[in-house]
Amino acid sequence: MEVLINSKNDVSHEMEIIVPYSELQPHFDKAYREEAKNIVIPGFRRGRVPLQIIKKRFGDAIEYQVIEKVSNDFFREAIEERDLKPVGQPVLQDMDYKPGEQLTVKVAYDTEPEVVAKDYKGLQLERLTHEITDSEVDDEMEGILKSRRTLESVEKADDENHLVTIDIQMLEDDGTPKEGQRNENMKVELEDEYMSRDLVAELLNMKSGEEKDVELTHQHGDHEHTEKAHIKVKNIEAITLPEMTDEFAEEYTGGQAKTVAELRDMVWKRLEEVWEQRYKQQFENDLVGEIVKRNAFDVPESLVNSIIDDWVKQVKEQQPGKELPPDFDMEQYRQGRRPEAEYTAKWMYLRDSIIEQEGIKLEDSDVEEKAERDSASMGIDKERMVEFYKSSPQYTQTILVEKLIAFLSGNAEIKDVNDDDISKTGLGPLAEGGDTGHDHGHDHDHDHDHDHDHEGEVEAGESDDAADSGDDAPESTEDSEK
């Protein structure tokens, strides 16, 4: 058997295996003997059909069945002899059998990169900070009142303190409807500063049930353009906000705040927490990004695809019926997220390398500290959190990565930079439903199975063995008692 390896880069390879007929013949002979026991041909008893007749009538089919089976064996033998450790699923690229001569098999496979992280200490980074202002707290207090507003149907809006429900159809210049540009039951907050002023002006002059054609002017940078639309007012509601009193503050917070002043203090502290977490996440992303930038290497294609497979599964889980929409463009999605998947894969290798180089280990005290922090916010006993975290590889990995990030931060040169421009982060109000907990940061503890479960097994397609954690967090004490 002759083996040739063509490496596209450090992790992507193609192995060409050339097997002479003399090495294939023992496998063929064994298969003929096995098949001869079951082949029935008129004029011969079962198991008594001459071998030359079997070869003449069934030889091609039997030999191709053997080839499909032994191709895996030859590939496995080749990688074991060379101490290769494929990651992911090897893919059969080509198989060419010339009867009586030789078999040629080409297999594409990936290997782990040899990564030794460097330049991860002494990084010079900026960390944004934010000082809360009375104006921000005022906005949040206003948002809290709006979350408890009441609506009353009226015939006409006297001022902008109204909510108007409309149907709107965009029109061509000649007044005909634009296809696909109709919005029904659209809610228009007349006081919304981002709402078209032309639309607001028109609605202030209309009654419930009235409809008309209007012109709406849109400003884009240094130019503007006008569109025609047909609107129908379906409902007009006057907005009434509750009064901010001590009684309201106590009811809104479930007794945590007894006065308006205490509620303001709570809002202030919550804003500080949100900004701190927002900039902490941004700093950690910058930290990881800098390390990835300083360490260039190739990552296995199979791992990149596996990471994207995980994300596709997450998209499915979020859809009704857990099925992708009919118009979901899979190819566009995968291509669009590919750079992020490559970034994630690189960080996985760098992360593991730094942990190994620095001897960073997960201690019981790390788990207990994490459980103590989370138990208060989640309303779950610390002991239950400790038991859960220790039983979940996903969460122990998360805690270990948090410890790594703390190590890297402690070894960086950090300059705190104040940023009092709230528009830079788009932070929304903290009133009910407005907590901005959505995370667009990179997944620092993303993990995949690197145990080479498919080592030596060749498949004519991509791997679909992405790790899918089924770990569920324990219920809070309050939830478990319901």
Side-chain angles (χ1 to χ4, degrees):
M1 180 175 70
E2 182 181 1
V3 176
L4 304 173
I5 297 179
N6 176 33
S7 296
K8 299 178 182 178
N9 52 46
D10 290 340
V11 296
S12 297
H13 319 274
E14 183 182 77
M15 178 180 289
E16 182 176 1
I17 304 172
I18 303 171
V19 186
Y21 187 81
S22 59
E23 292 185 34
L24 295 171
Q25 190 166 4
H27 299 281
F28 293 152
D29 292 344
K30 180 180 178 182
Y32 285 132
R33 289 193 298 270
E34 292 296 323
E35 292 294 335
K37 297 176 182 178
N38 302 311
I39 291 176
V40 177
I41 295 178
F44 298 95
R45 288 184 296 168
R46 181 186 296 272
R48 297 294 184 177
V49 180
L51 189 58
Q52 63 269 24
I53 295 179
I54 294 176
K55 288 183 177 181
K56 183 176 181 180
R57 297 187 61 174
F58 306 108
D60 289 347
I62 292 174
E63 291 188 3
Y64 274 103
Q65 287 180 355
V66 171
I67 287 170
E68 290 181 357
K69 179 180 179 300
V70 298
S71 293
N72 273 323
D73 297 335
F74 289 131
F75 178 70
R76 186 182 298 108
E77 179 184 342
I79 63 175
E80 287 176 355
E81 287 179 352
R82 291 157 182 79
D83 195 27
L84 300 175
K85 293 179 172 57
V87 56
Q89 184 78 56
V91 179
L92 179 64
Q93 299 286 79
D94 185 41
M95 184 168 62
D96 180 25
Y97 173 54
K98 296 178 180 178
E101 297 183 26
Q102 66 181 31
L103 167 67
T104 303
V105 177
K106 293 182 180 180
V107 179
Y109 65 97
D110 293 335
T111 56
E112 301 271 18
E114 295 182 5
V115 178
V116 179
K118 61 180 182 180
D119 298 337
Y120 54 82
K121 291 182 180 179
L123 301 178
Q124 296 181 340
L125 299 167
E126 291 184 348
R127 178 173 55 200
L128 294 175
T129 61
H130 186 80
E131 294 181 3
I132 308 303
T133 65
D134 286 327
S135 176
E136 289 177 62
V137 178
D138 290 341
D139 289 343
E140 300 305 325
M141 297 291 281
E142 181 75 11
I144 288 173
L145 290 178
K146 287 181 178 180
S147 73
R148 294 295 181 89
R149 70 186 184 182
T150 58
L151 301 173
E152 181 183 0
S153 293
V154 296
E155 184 178 3
K156 186 176 182 295
D158 298 326
D159 54 39
E160 292 189 358
N161 195 34
H162 286 74
L163 174 67
V164 183
T165 304
I166 66 172
D167 290 344
I168 182 167
Q169 171 67 62
M170 305 310 297
L171 304 175
E172 301 286 0
D173 291 339
D174 62 3
T176 58
K178 285 186 177 181
E179 187 176 352
Q181 295 194 34
R182 178 178 178 80
N183 195 343
E184 296 186 351
N185 297 316
M186 175 180 168
K187 303 289 186 181
V188 180
E189 301 266 3
L190 297 187
E191 68 171 358
D192 185 352
E193 61 179 309
Y194 297 105
M195 188 59 62
S196 165
R197 291 295 93 193
D198 289 342
L199 179 59
V200 170
E202 294 289 353
L203 294 178
L204 282 171
N205 292 313
M206 297 178 68
K207 295 181 179 180
S208 183
E210 188 177 349
E211 55 185 299
K212 64 188 296 189
D213 289 347
V214 299
E215 289 190 353
L216 307 176
T217 301
H218 302 283
Q219 189 73 33
H220 295 283
D222 59 353
H223 69 282
E224 62 182 30
H225 72 277
T226 300
E227 285 189 301
K228 293 182 177 181
H230 181 82
I231 57 176
K232 177 180 180 180
V233 177
K234 304 183 74 173
N235 193 27
I236 301 175
E237 296 168 291
I239 299 172
T240 302
L241 300 184
E243 185 180 356
M244 181 61 75
T245 63
D246 292 345
E247 290 76 13
F248 175 86
E250 184 172 8
E251 184 274 330
Y252 180 80
T253 62
Q256 296 183 57
K258 301 294 184 182
T259 65
V260 174
E262 289 180 3
L263 176 56
R264 285 186 66 88
D265 287 343
M266 288 180 62
V267 170
W268 190 291
K269 290 176 182 177
R270 180 66 182 121
L271 277 170
E272 287 181 330
E273 291 172 359
V274 170
W275 279 105
E276 182 181 356
Q277 182 59 36
R278 175 70 59 92
Y279 284 151
K280 177 176 179 290
Q281 181 68 61
Q282 183 172 330
F283 170 76
E284 290 177 1
N285 288 341
D286 293 343
L287 173 68
V288 170
E290 185 64 26
I291 294 173
V292 171
K293 185 172 70 174
R294 291 172 177 233
N295 291 265
F297 59 93
D298 296 309
V299 290
E301 181 73 13
S302 56
L303 177 57
V304 172
N305 286 325
S306 185
I307 292 171
I308 300 176
D309 289 343
D310 268 2
W311 292 339
V312 171
K313 288 179 183 178
Q314 292 173 15
V315 173
K316 283 185 178 180
E317 289 294 321
Q318 297 168 0
Q319 301 299 316
K322 297 185 178 181
E323 293 292 335
L324 294 174
D327 59 348
F328 185 83
D329 191 329
M330 180 66 76
E331 183 177 355
Q332 183 180 31
Y333 178 84
R334 298 186 73 92
Q335 283 299 116
R337 298 210 66 177
R338 182 178 180 81
E340 187 179 355
E342 291 177 347
Y343 176 100
T344 300
K346 287 181 178 180
W347 169 240
M348 287 167 57
Y349 287 114
L350 290 167
R351 174 197 70 193
D352 294 346
S353 174
I354 299 171
I355 287 174
E356 181 179 0
Q357 290 184 63
E358 299 297 337
I360 300 173
K361 296 180 180 179
L362 187 67
E363 308 290 349
D364 287 344
S365 58
D366 300 320
V367 179
E368 290 171 1
E369 288 176 10
K370 171 72 171 174
E372 187 168 357
R373 291 196 306 270
D374 292 348
S375 62
S377 61
M378 298 177 66
I380 301 174
D381 293 337
K382 175 185 172 181
E383 291 72 19
R384 292 182 63 200
M385 294 297 296
V386 169
E387 181 182 358
F388 172 69
Y389 286 157
K390 287 185 176 180
S391 67
S392 168
Q394 177 186 3
Y395 282 95
T396 52
Q397 175 72 10
T398 298
I399 299 169
L400 181 61
V401 173
E402 288 178 356
K403 189 172 183 178
L404 167 63
I405 294 295
F407 169 82
L408 294 170
S409 300
N411 284 275
E413 297 179 17
I414 303 171
K415 178 182 178 182
D416 286 330
V417 178
N418 182 266
D419 173 21
D420 59 2
D421 184 3
I422 194 170
S423 65
K424 289 186 178 180
T425 61
L427 180 64
L430 300 179
E432 291 176 337
D435 191 351
T436 56
H438 190 65
D439 177 18
H440 293 281
H442 290 288
D443 183 3
H444 297 157
D445 58 356
H446 191 108
D447 203 7
H448 273 251
D449 182 7
H450 287 191
D451 291 334
H452 316 295
D453 292 337
H454 300 282
E455 184 175 305
E457 296 297 327
V458 180
E459 182 178 287
E462 292 183 350
S463 169
D464 188 26
D465 64 336
D468 184 18
S469 174
D471 294 325
D472 293 320
E475 294 179 339
S476 67
T477 304
E478 179 182 353
D479 291 338
S480 63
E481 291 173 351
K482 291 182 179 179

